[in-house]
Amino acid sequence: MYDEILLPVDGSPAAEQAIPHVFDLAERYDATVHVLFVVNTTRDNAGIIGGTVLETLEQEGQRVVDEVVERGESRGIETVGAVRRGAPHETILDYATEHGAEVIAMATHGRTGVERVLLGSVTERVVRTAPVPVLTVRATG
């Protein structure tokens, strides 16, 4: 059913909770897991992002991706990683299309009310606009 699964990660405890679900799916369907970290370079962050800061964020993203890839490979799952720059939801969707992902699996951060309205949600935007199914894992705790 699924040959290519996209797992966007950001190093948060919420994102961590999606990983076991994705690895279980990958084992069940003998799928490749694509682990993606997006460095947010949207205009909302433009004032704080400079050359050194951007490089630091990319290095942290690579560390997160490498750790998840290593965990997948230790379970015998074909796992590849990438770090990209851009608007997170758009970059996730672009990557999914480029790599033929048949499902995107990601965590929700559990925001509600005014906080959700004001901050928005990358997961929510992906769910609303993805051309493939999106598996969401609600963060607990």
Side-chain angles (χ1 to χ4, degrees), residues 32-128:
T32 298
V33 174
H34 295 261
V35 182
L36 176 65
F37 185 101
V38 179
V39 176
N40 187 347
T41 58
T42 59
R43 76 175 199 283
D44 295 339
N45 289 339
I48 63 167
I49 294 181
T52 303
V53 173
L54 189 59
E55 290 170 9
T56 301
L57 292 171
E58 286 179 325
Q59 290 170 357
E60 175 61 15
Q62 192 63 58
R63 184 195 63 74
V64 169
V65 166
D66 290 346
E67 194 271 335
V68 176
V69 167
E70 184 177 308
R71 288 168 55 190
E73 290 175 344
S74 74
R75 288 179 61 166
I77 299 166
E78 185 175 344
T79 313
V80 297
V83 176
R84 298 272 176 96
R85 294 182 188 181
H89 73 283
E90 292 172 359
T91 305
I92 291 165
L93 296 174
D94 289 346
Y95 186 96
T97 300
E98 290 170 23
H99 294 275
E102 292 135 336
V103 65
I104 301 168
M106 55 195 305
T108 66
H109 286 255
R111 292 187 185 107
T112 60
V114 174
E115 184 180 31
R116 184 182 63 81
V117 171
L118 292 176
L119 296 176
S121 165
V122 171
T123 304
E124 183 179 359
R125 289 177 182 164
V126 170
V127 166
R128 283 190 286 117

Side-chain angles (χ1 to χ4, degrees), residues 5-8 12-25 103-111 121 123-124 127 134-141:
I5 301 171
L6 176 54
L7 171 63
S12 70
E16 178 69 27
Q17 292 183 31
I19 296 169
H21 295 278
V22 170
F23 286 168
D24 288 348
L25 271 178
V103 65
I104 301 168
M106 55 195 305
T108 66
H109 286 255
R111 292 187 185 107
S121 165
T123 304
E124 183 179 359
V127 166
V134 179
L135 169 66
T136 60
V137 178
R138 182 165 175 82
T140 57

